[in-house]
């Protein structure tokens, strides 16, 4: 089509003189682009093109290799499985999208195990598509298939995964692992690694761009272990190291809990029973913290094992902190600093009671 000039563009606007040579890398961060045809050309000019030597370096793939088998060769862990489109569809998962171009292009088409139709939104600002996979699972990778005739740039697409359904999952953390783009004759595939981030909701979106989002297939790869994680902090009392009588910002005392400015202000939760904490989701208030430390302990007034590494956080942000199933009864959130104020609007502690793990 169009002399293959619709294919992935490795480089453009290169100025070369006679006898010059140049090395061109395809794909972001040198990860490469999978394809079958390489085109070198001069666009929009009547000119003679003279090339004395062209060499193309890369790894070969059998023409019979499917896109997914190419990607699967990178999976290091046999416990990684795909939640197939048929699984998602047959379990009647709720899928949503920001709008629908026509009835036959509704959001469920992206998981119906068919290549004939693609879910498609109307042309709009910041279109999105979202699904709920029923249980929280560590997400290894999300692969999306978009039609070749789509005007979308894969660099504009972001994939968010997490535990929150608010704002249609668009407040969840972005999958920021390795991105791979692979082109086939009728489709473009984007693979994004999610670094085993625990999630129940997956959202594909194009933020701050006027576009139509079209998804022919969405493939979700997870760790096989399934945990029935619940929010252990729900209905549990939260104790602040101090309580501000004059909270900063627009939040009221009813919506956010804020401490005075002090050294290492904290919020503590008694989970009431020894629990295995997988991850914590915190919605910050209008006061940012230089460094947030989350720990789980067996003793009320002791800092226990620290979850992940300390997180810098900004005002009004949502942060997910992985705890890796640390066991304990008491959870602490500390703003690490000499003169800090801790402001938290919502906190979710996802995990399971230790007694349930014995069943």
């Amino acid at each position: 089509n169009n002399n293959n000039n619709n294919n992935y563009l490795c480089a453009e606007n290169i100025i070369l003189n006679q006898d010059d040579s140049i090395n061109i890398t395809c794909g972001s961060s040198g990860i490469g682009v999978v394809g079958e045809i390489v085109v070198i050309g001069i666009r929009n000019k009547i000119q003679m093109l003279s090339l004395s030597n062209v060499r193309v370096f890369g790894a070969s793939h059998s023409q019979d290799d499917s896109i997914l088998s190419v990607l699967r060769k990178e999976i290091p862990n046999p416990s990684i499985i795909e939640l197939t489109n048929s699984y998602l569809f047959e379990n009647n998962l709720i899928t949503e999208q920001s709008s629908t171009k026509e009835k036959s292009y509704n959001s469920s088409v992206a998981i119906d195990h068919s290549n004939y139709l693609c879910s498609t939104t109307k042309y709009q600002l910041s279109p999105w598509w979202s699904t709920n996979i029923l249980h929280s699972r560590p997400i290894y990778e999300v692969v999306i298939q978009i039609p070749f005739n789509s005007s979308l740039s894969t660099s504009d697409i972001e994939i968010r995964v997490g535990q929150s359904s608010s704002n249609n999952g668009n407040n969840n953390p972005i999958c920021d692992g390795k991105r791979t783009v692979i082109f086939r004759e009728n489709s473009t595939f984007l693979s994004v690694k999610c670094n085993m981030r625990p999630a129940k909701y997956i959202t594909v979106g194009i933020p701050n761009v006027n576009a139509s989002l079209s998804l022919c297939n969405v493939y979700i790869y997870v760790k096989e272990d399934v945990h029935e994680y619940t929010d252990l902090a729900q209905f549990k009392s939260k104790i602040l190291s101090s309580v501000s009588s004059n909270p900063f910002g627009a939040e009221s005392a009813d919506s956010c809990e804020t401490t005075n400015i002090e050294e290492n202000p904290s919020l503590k939760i008694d989970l009431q029973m020894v629990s295995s904490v997988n991850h914590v989701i915190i919605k910050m208030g209008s006061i940012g913290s230089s460094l947030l430390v989350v720990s789980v302990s067996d003793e009320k007034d002791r800092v226990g094992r620290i979850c992940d590494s300390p997180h810098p956080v900004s005002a009004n942000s949502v942060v997910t902190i992985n705890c890796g199933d640390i066991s304990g009864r008491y959870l602490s959130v500390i703003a690490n600093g000499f003169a800090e104020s801790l402001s938290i609007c919502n906190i979710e502690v996802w995990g399971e009671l230790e007694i349930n793990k014995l069943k």
Side-chain angles (χ1 to χ4, degrees):
N1 296 333
N2 191 25
N3 294 320
N4 296 296
N5 286 322
N6 290 327
N7 288 343
Y8 181 88
L9 185 64
C10 295
E12 63 180 337
N13 300 325
I14 298 172
I15 299 175
L16 292 175
N17 298 314
Q18 185 175 352
D19 298 326
D20 279 353
S21 63
I22 187 172
N23 293 324
I24 297 172
T25 300
C26 290
S28 60
S29 304
I31 61 175
V33 172
V34 174
E36 300 173 359
I37 299 172
V38 176
V39 177
I40 301 172
I42 301 173
R43 296 187 297 182
N44 305 319
K45 285 186 179 182
I46 299 175
Q47 195 167 339
M48 181 177 71
L49 176 64
S50 177
L51 302 172
S52 62
N53 188 23
V54 176
R55 288 184 289 176
V56 180
F57 296 89
S60 63
H61 295 291
S62 166
Q63 197 165 13
D64 295 331
D65 275 353
S66 71
I67 170 63
L68 296 176
S69 67
V70 171
L71 292 171
R72 296 295 57 75
K73 290 176 182 177
E74 298 183 4
I75 291 183
N77 191 331
S79 68
I80 301 300
I81 61 170
E82 177 199 346
L83 295 183
T84 63
N85 288 25
S86 58
Y87 163 87
L88 299 174
F89 189 67
E90 290 166 6
N91 279 277
N92 299 314
L93 296 194
I94 295 174
T95 59
E96 298 180 288
Q97 57 188 19
S98 51
S99 62
T100 301
K101 180 181 178 181
E102 295 178 14
K103 186 177 180 180
S104 57
Y105 301 124
N106 63 75
S107 61
S108 66
V109 173
I111 60 169
D112 69 356
H113 214 54
S114 166
N115 291 320
Y116 299 108
L117 290 174
C118 306
S119 67
T120 307
T121 70
K122 295 177 181 178
Y123 187 83
Q124 64 177 105
L125 180 64
S126 303
W128 53 264
W129 178 96
S130 181
T131 190
N132 173 352
I133 61 172
L134 299 180
H135 306 294
S136 178
R137 302 167 183 255
I139 307 297
Y140 172 77
E141 176 184 26
V142 177
V143 179
I144 62 171
Q145 177 187 3
I146 60 178
F148 187 76
N149 59 3
S150 172
S151 60
L152 296 178
S153 169
T154 55
S155 61
D156 291 331
I157 297 174
E158 69 178 21
I159 295 174
R160 293 178 176 267
V161 301
Q163 306 293 346
S164 174
S165 61
S166 64
N167 192 23
N168 302 295
N170 285 296
N171 291 340
N172 286 321
I174 296 175
C175 285
D176 54 3
K178 177 182 175 183
R179 294 170 71 99
T180 304
V181 180
I182 299 183
F183 296 89
R184 285 294 187 259
E185 183 178 356
N186 298 315
S187 299
T188 299
F189 292 81
L190 171 65
S191 156
V192 181
K193 299 291 192 297
C194 297
N195 301 322
M196 295 300 185
R197 184 179 295 278
K200 185 178 178 181
Y201 299 93
I202 287 86
T203 302
V204 180
I206 310 174
N208 306 314
V209 174
N210 284 301
S212 173
L213 176 61
S214 187
L215 300 174
C216 303
N217 278 300
V218 177
Y219 303 92
I220 302 165
Y221 290 84
V222 302
K223 190 172 181 180
E224 193 170 17
D225 300 336
V226 178
H227 293 275
E228 297 287 348
Y229 292 136
T230 58
D231 181 5
L232 301 169
Q234 197 170 25
F235 309 120
K236 304 295 193 305
S237 60
K238 303 168 182 65
I239 301 174
L240 295 174
S241 55
S242 64
V243 179
S244 173
S245 58
N246 182 28
F248 295 93
E251 304 101 1
S252 69
D254 293 331
S255 60
C256 297
E257 298 176 280
T258 305
T259 69
N260 292 317
I261 296 176
E262 59 188 6
E263 184 176 359
N264 300 330
S266 66
L267 178 145
K268 294 186 178 182
I269 303 175
D270 180 358
L271 303 176
Q272 297 181 358
M273 295 184 69
V274 175
S275 305
S276 177
V277 178
N278 182 264
H279 61 282
V280 179
I281 302 174
I282 301 173
K283 171 68 171 70
M284 301 298 296
S286 60
I287 306 167
S289 169
S290 57
L291 211 56
L292 206 63
V293 177
V294 176
S295 71
V296 181
S297 173
D298 292 325
E299 300 179 28
K300 184 176 180 180
D301 297 317
R302 177 184 173 187
V303 176
R305 293 178 59 191
I306 294 176
C307 298
D308 207 348
S309 54
H311 281 253
V313 292
S314 56
N316 302 311
S317 64
V318 177
V319 59
T320 298
I321 299 174
N322 295 322
C323 294
D325 297 320
I326 294 178
S327 178
R329 174 175 169 174
Y330 301 95
L331 183 131
S332 300
V333 180
I334 303 170
N336 193 19
F338 179 72
E340 296 283 346
S341 179
L342 179 64
S343 181
I344 293 178
C345 299
N346 188 51
I347 180 168
E348 300 172 9
V349 180
W350 290 88
E352 56 187 336
L353 299 177
E354 282 289 330
I355 192 171
N356 289 345
K357 294 177 69 176
L358 300 177
K359 295 180 180 179

